[in-house]
Amino acid sequence: RPASVVIRPPTEPLVEGSQTRLECVAAGAYPSAVIVWEKTLAGRSTVLKATSLRLGEVTSSWLTLVPEAEDHGATLTCRAHNPNIPVHAATTSTALQITFAPRVTLRLGYNLQTRPVTEGEDVYFECEVASNPPPHAITWYKDVSTGTSRLGGDAQPQRWCVGLQQQPGAADGETDLSWQLHLRRHQHTGHHHQ
């Protein structure tokens, strides 16, 4: 089997939707090695098409990849074997780090479910954000008669109270974060409290 197998990282970060090329080099096999690329995600492996050049004891293989957000965290493996001894392979792997824009999912809180909201009642919404790198700020908006107003921070619309907190289990550095909005509608006009 080959004496060494190396994946050479791309010169630029992997970005969702942007084509990139990765190279795997296997050396020290005679005849020169056959290289196979595999991507493993959620326990499922897929063989990827690539272009190879075999020269002496060295085989170089180039993989053209257009990464998707779902590829973030997937394992990319380069497997090289002597064509005469395919059962003895040398492998190397790397975890894909994909930069991708936020995906946002908004859900009703546990206290709403399918029943209507009663005036004066506390209301909860949950916003789940998947992105890499993780978001540095979450801003909530609500349509009111004057247009779209921001919830949270200094620009709160009148007669709404907002409490925003990161849900337990969403640690720094994770790509999937869950945030909860606590929204209270006052029955009477007046000052609102945080």
Side-chain angles (χ1 to χ4, degrees), residues 110 125-127 164-171 177-181:
Y110 65 90
F125 297 92
E126 185 173 306
C127 176
L164 181 62
Q165 62 182 5
Q166 188 173 353
Q167 291 292 82
L177 300 180
S178 182
W179 301 80
Q180 188 180 80
L181 175 71

Side-chain angles (χ1 to χ4, degrees), residues 16-39:
E16 176 191 17
S18 298
Q19 180 174 293
T20 189
R21 191 170 78 160
L22 296 93
E23 182 182 9
C24 179
V25 178
Y30 184 82
S32 54
V34 174
I35 289 180
V36 177
W37 292 84
E38 291 182 356
K39 182 179 71 174

Side-chain angles (χ1 to χ4, degrees), residues 144-161:
V144 292
S145 57
T146 56
T148 302
S149 297
R150 180 183 176 200
L151 300 180
D154 298 326
Q156 296 182 14
Q158 295 182 358
R159 301 179 64 208
W160 290 92
C161 288

Side-chain angles (χ1 to χ4, degrees), residues 80-162:
H81 66 268
N82 186 310
N84 295 330
I85 319 173
V87 294
H88 296 290
T91 65
T92 186
S93 299
T94 186
L96 295 179
Q97 299 294 317
I98 312 299
T99 298
F100 61 96
R103 268 81 168 153
V104 178
T105 302
L106 183 63
R107 290 191 293 266
L108 297 176
Y110 65 90
N111 70 324
L112 286 181
Q113 298 181 3
T114 58
R115 63 182 180 82
V117 179
T118 304
E119 184 177 6
E121 179 183 25
D122 288 357
V123 177
Y124 293 88
F125 297 92
E126 185 173 306
C127 176
E128 185 175 285
V129 182
S131 69
N132 187 44
H136 68 276
I138 302 292
T139 303
W140 294 77
Y141 295 87
K142 183 189 180 299
D143 292 330
V144 292
S145 57
T146 56
T148 302
S149 297
R150 180 183 176 200
L151 300 180
D154 298 326
Q156 296 182 14
Q158 295 182 358
R159 301 179 64 208
W160 290 92
C161 288
V162 177

